[in-house]
């Protein structure tokens, strides 16, 4: 299945106002999710400097904070000794009415970890199969899964990371496991990821992340559309509600 590209044609001039309107819309769309006990996962993938955190900030401003959690996924060398590698993600799945936002995800295993030699090549086909099965299980359980990949050019990525290096509080994160966007091994791994995990039940959406505000707008717009399609449009009916006329 081919990936879906985002078009920025005819975007509003006032991005701030457009984002505010989308946040309000998304907040309203969260109400039926909570009332009906629906689960949702938003997955944000992409290299450092790809504007993912800008989208997390927008989601945090839109959602009821009592009904979502953000999981930041980093390499965990302990996972190989603690059972199945997906087990830490099983523990982070959302409960009824809640949303789990994954800032990076299980896809690190076939992207960064693969490029850095932590995932043996002979394991890659099995990992793809396990990811597809895992995501199909979420679909079968009624969970909405939104997968966004933030595509950034190498020049823009380097500019953003250079600004981070100037901040002593952020300089370490700018250097940790740094993979350039134009790294050939990474691009090859990304191509295989899209070919193997862009499925009918959990397709990828690619966001052009060179412009941070436009990327945030496109991402929030797509998430709001996904919520609008997936969440019930009517309030849940009361079950065994007392007959008030007879009780009087």
């Amino acid at each position: 299945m081919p990936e879906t590209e985002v078009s920025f044609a005819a975007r509003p001039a006032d991005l701030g106002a457009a984002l505010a309107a989308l946040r309000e819309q998304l907040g309203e769309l969260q109400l039926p999710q909570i009332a009906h006990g629906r689960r949702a996962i938003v997955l944000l993938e992409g290299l450092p400097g790809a504007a993912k955190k800008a989208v997390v900030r927008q989601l945090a401003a839109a959602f009821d904070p009592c009904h979502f959690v953000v999981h930041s996924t980093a390499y965990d060398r302990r996972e190989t000794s603690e059972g199945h590698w997906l087990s830490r993600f099983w523990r982070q799945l959302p409960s009824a009415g809640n949303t789990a936002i994954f800032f990076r995800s299980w896809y690190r295993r076939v992207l960064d970890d693969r490029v850095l030699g932590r995932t043996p090549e002979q394991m890659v086909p099995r990992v793809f199969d396990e990811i597809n099965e895992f995501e199909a299980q979420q679909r079968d359980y009624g969970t909405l899964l939104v997968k966004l990949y933030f595509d950034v050019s190498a020049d823009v990525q380097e500019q953003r990371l250079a600004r981070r290096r100037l901040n002593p509080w952020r300089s370490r994160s700018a250097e940790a496991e740094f993979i350039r966007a134009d790294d050939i091994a990474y691009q090859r791994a990304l191509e295989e990821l899209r070919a193997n995990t862009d499925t009918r039940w959990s397709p990828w959406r690619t966001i052009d992340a060179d412009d941070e505000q436009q990327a945030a707008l496109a991402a929030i717009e797509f998430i709001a559309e996904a919520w609008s399609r997936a969440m019930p449009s009517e309030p849940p009916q009361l079950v065994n509600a007392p007959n008030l006329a007879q009780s009087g």
Side-chain angles (χ1 to χ4, degrees), residues 32-96:
Q33 175 195 0
I34 296 169
H36 285 273
R38 297 291 300 275
R39 297 167 173 81
I41 295 172
V42 178
L43 186 155
L44 310 177
E45 267 298 340
L47 287 169
K52 301 181 298 300
K53 195 165 290 184
V55 177
V56 174
R57 294 190 184 101
Q58 295 295 328
L59 291 174
F63 282 145
D64 181 335
C66 295
H67 292 279
F68 81 92
V69 63
V70 178
H71 301 291
S72 182
T73 303
Y75 171 65
D76 187 353
R77 64 175 56 89
R78 300 171 303 172
E79 69 182 19
T80 56
S81 62
E82 294 183 352
H84 194 280
W85 70 273
L86 278 171
S87 61
R88 64 168 167 157
F89 300 109
W90 298 336
R91 296 190 293 268
Q92 295 172 337
L93 292 175
S95 56

Side-chain angles (χ1 to χ4, degrees), residues 170-201:
R170 304 188 67 194
S171 58
R172 184 174 181 180
S173 66
E175 297 295 343
E177 302 180 340
F178 175 57
I179 299 175
R180 284 182 55 90
D182 57 359
D183 184 286
I184 295 176
Y186 183 86
Q187 289 300 323
R188 188 182 304 117
L190 180 60
E191 183 179 353
E192 289 188 32
L193 178 145
R194 287 168 169 159
N196 285 279
T197 64
D198 189 24
T199 59
R200 174 174 46 83
W201 57 88

